[in-house]
Amino acid sequence: MKNETLANRLAQILFLLNQGKRIDLTKLSEEFGVHPRTLQRDMKRLDFLQWEENGNNLYKLNRQAYGILNQQDIERFARFASVADLFPKIDQDFYQEKLIESVQVKGIEYEDISTRQKEFDLIKTAIEQHKLIDFNYQKCGEKQGSFRQLAPYALTNKNGIWYVIGTENDKQKTFCFNQISLLKILDETFTPNQTLIEQIKTNDSLSHGNQLAEVTIQVSTFAAPYFLRRNLLPNQKIIHQTKDKELIISCENVNEWDVIPVVQYWIPHLTVISPQGLQEKIFANLQNYMDKPNGEKK
């Protein structure tokens, strides 16, 4: 009964956070009829979540990390958190990881890698032990692959596709997981670059080299609700909304190829305002496509 009451309370807290609300434990304690210290203990059970604000009894969820949770997600989080003390520490870590992972890729038809769990776990082990990996990588459209050696930093899911981010000859590289084969962990270790680790954690971009300081994009009235509902662009920030309900969006520290596919997908509803050369590159891509014979358009 105690755990049931706690789970219900946590579910209500998560519901408020999921709506983008900033909760004040002092005020919330009056609504729930419990002492603020009780709610502080409740919030400690949610330490594995990523916070935009966390301190002085004020909390706000980093919704960019999770997107929008549905009722099942909220109930799963709440029930796990309410009985977490019953699990051994190693099991807690496992379930926390799986809970967060399931929500991060939720809402997208993501690729099934269940048949490649062994390779996925090998890369994860190499990341944890800071060991180099060796593999054959075959790019899309190429008949033959090439062998690569990588210092792996992260396994990341972007739009349903798994990628391995790391450094090759001290240059940041990103590889599609399902295009990797003949994988093996080497005995050679590497010293992680802490700056790159922080960039990977805080930046939506898959490319952490050749970054543009800022890309500014105009979003039409038709498309605006979709971009208000969730971040569809990397490092997205709404900087202005016009009287006609159009949006001006800023994306900082992104690679141009994190932005171009999204803008092209939303044509004619998105326009790059700056840098000017980026909009011209999109026009050139479209022109090249239109100039191709019909048989070449795929």
Side-chain angles (χ1 to χ4, degrees), residues 12 21 32 35 43 58 61 70-71 114 123 149 171 179 186 212 230 239 241-243 272-273:
Q12 291 180 63
K21 293 185 178 179
F32 287 168
H35 197 280
M43 298 310 293
L58 299 173
L61 187 67
N70 63 25
Q71 190 62 34
S114 57
I123 295 175
Q149 196 172 100
K171 292 183 178 179
Q179 290 166 228
L186 304 180
L212 297 172
R230 59 176 297 193
I239 58 177
Q241 186 169 17
T242 70
K243 291 181 180 179
V272 176
I273 299 173

Side-chain angles (χ1 to χ4, degrees), residues 50-51 62 64 127 130 152-154 156 165-167 172 190-209 211 235 252-253:
Q50 294 186 40
W51 300 102
N62 181 354
Q64 185 171 323
I127 292 169
H130 310 312
Y153 278 70
T156 301
I165 301 176
T167 58
Q172 189 270 321
F190 65 95
T191 302
N193 182 322
Q194 294 302 320
T195 301
L196 178 56
I197 290 174
E198 192 59 29
Q199 287 176 349
I200 293 170
K201 286 181 179 178
T202 59
N203 198 319
D204 294 336
S205 174
L206 284 174
S207 303
H208 300 277
Q211 303 292 89
N235 303 336
E252 297 180 352
N253 300 318

Side-chain angles (χ1 to χ4, degrees), residues 98-119:
K98 293 304 177 186
L99 281 169
I100 294 171
E101 177 183 293
S102 69
V103 174
Q104 283 180 322
V105 298
K106 191 182 167 358
I108 303 172
E109 288 188 13
Y110 56 95
E111 60 185 349
D112 182 5
I113 61 168
S114 57
T115 59
R116 306 199 61 201
Q117 189 66 47
K118 183 179 178 181
E119 291 96 327

